[in-house]
Amino acid sequence: MLKGRHLIGPGDFSIGELDSLFCLAERLEREPEYLRQSCRGKLLATLFFEPSTRTRLSFEAAMLRLGGSCLGFAEPGSSSAAKGESLADTARIVSAYADAIVMRNPKEGAALLASRYAAVPVINAGDGGHHHPTQTLTDLLTIKRVRGAIADLTVGFCGDLKFGRTVHSLAKALSRYPRITMRFVSPPELRAPEYIKAELGTPFIETDSLERVIGGLDILYMTRVQRERFFNEEEYIRLKDSYILNSEKMRLAKKDMIVLHPLPRLNEIAPEVDEDPRAAYFRQAAYGMYVRMALLASILGCV
Ligand code: NCD
């Protein structure tokens, strides 16, 4: 039962609970009328202290499709955070207005802190360079839909593995599934943090060459170099185009490999790859709304 639960990190829900969420998301996609008005009268607060397109809009679309309503801000300058209000106070106050809170914040641990003071469920929509568990729900559902099961896969993560919170969350989540091996492809400066690697109970190798490993991958998870987390713009400019996936590199990959990306995509996937049937990143973004509908209906007790 997920009613009343927070979602702060990728390990918060059991594999069984995730399976139920994915089944519900698939049903919501198949049957557009199912749970249509189930959250009528419920309010979702979306507190976005950092930019977002997909995550915020897919949460809002999910809530509206369930018959509920949304309030919040997409621009921290327009909230009391700009006056110096603490997250603890914001969480306490917003709990009095809304039935659940979705929060994105540039500070690692922000959603966890908010959950300690909120009287309603808190969903982490990204805390700095740490975790992004609802993107992971989207990614896992996409893998399940495209591959049939989340098992027996070699998964390559490529790009900014240091600051990429979607990578941290997905790698940790995947390591709980059977027979998953991982390939971490990044420049030495952008390797996955030790604390993430230490938590993986699954075999992995690290390399700086995509060409060397792409032929053995079942899934290639491309990521954007996270400019906003760099201290030094020159370093960003030097590293930003470290990897560009194009048709030539796709020729080295298996015929049934799939390419995922949490989006937004910059130069790391050439537009020519969009036409390749193995490109699954736009489908992935679409699944994000259904899995967030399933999540909201579950934690609000509307299913
Ligand atoms: C990601 C994020 O915010 O971490 N975006 C998203 O939620 N789909 C990835 C990114 O910004 O690069």
Side-chain angles (χ1 to χ4, degrees), residues 208-221:
D208 60 5
S209 166
L210 179 57
E211 285 86 341
R212 200 172 305 146
V213 295
I214 194 169
L217 302 180
D218 300 304
I219 292 168
L220 172 57
Y221 194 91

Side-chain angles (χ1 to χ4, degrees), residues 176-203:
R176 301 200 292 167
Y177 286 88
R179 297 171 303 282
I180 305 284
T181 50
M182 301 189 198
R183 307 280 179 260
F184 291 126
V185 185
S186 73
E189 297 87 342
L190 297 179
R191 283 201 187 123
E194 291 304 323
Y195 79 90
I196 294 291
K197 288 182 284 192
E199 286 176 355
L200 299 177
T202 193

Side-chain angles (χ1 to χ4, degrees), residues 50-56 104 125-126 128 131-132 134-135 163-167 221 223-226 228-229 261-265 268 292:
E50 264 193 346
S52 169
T53 304
R54 267 150 300 272
T55 306
R56 186 172 62 81
R104 171 170 289 184
H131 279 300
H132 191 349
T134 69
Q135 181 63 44
F163 297 118
R165 56 194 174 194
T166 62
V167 171
Y221 194 91
T223 61
R224 168 180 76 90
V225 175
Q226 307 277 299
E228 63 276 34
R229 315 261 177 248
H261 191 304
L263 305 179
R265 163 258 306 261
E268 61 277 359
R292 290 181 173 106

Side-chain angles (χ1 to χ4, degrees), residues 15 42 174 239 295:
I15 299 285
K42 302 270 187 203
L174 278 173
L239 294 170
L295 175 68

Side-chain angles (χ1 to χ4, degrees), residues 54-72:
R54 267 150 300 272
T55 306
R56 186 172 62 81
L57 294 186
S58 64
F59 263 114
E60 293 187 0
M63 191 62 179
L64 297 171
R65 281 172 183 254
L66 292 167
S69 308
C70 305
L71 70 169

Side-chain angles (χ1 to χ4, degrees), residues 147-164:
R147 303 289 309 204
I150 309 170
D152 300 295
L153 297 169
T154 301
V155 183
F157 292 93
C158 179
D160 185 348
L161 312 187
K162 179 179 182 187
F163 297 118

Side-chain angles (χ1 to χ4, degrees), residues 97-119:
Y97 304 152
D99 300 290
I101 296 172
V102 178
M103 195 175 99
R104 171 170 289 184
N105 191 283
K107 293 212 176 80
E108 287 79 9
L112 178 64
L113 185 134
S115 72
R116 300 218 163 116
Y117 294 91

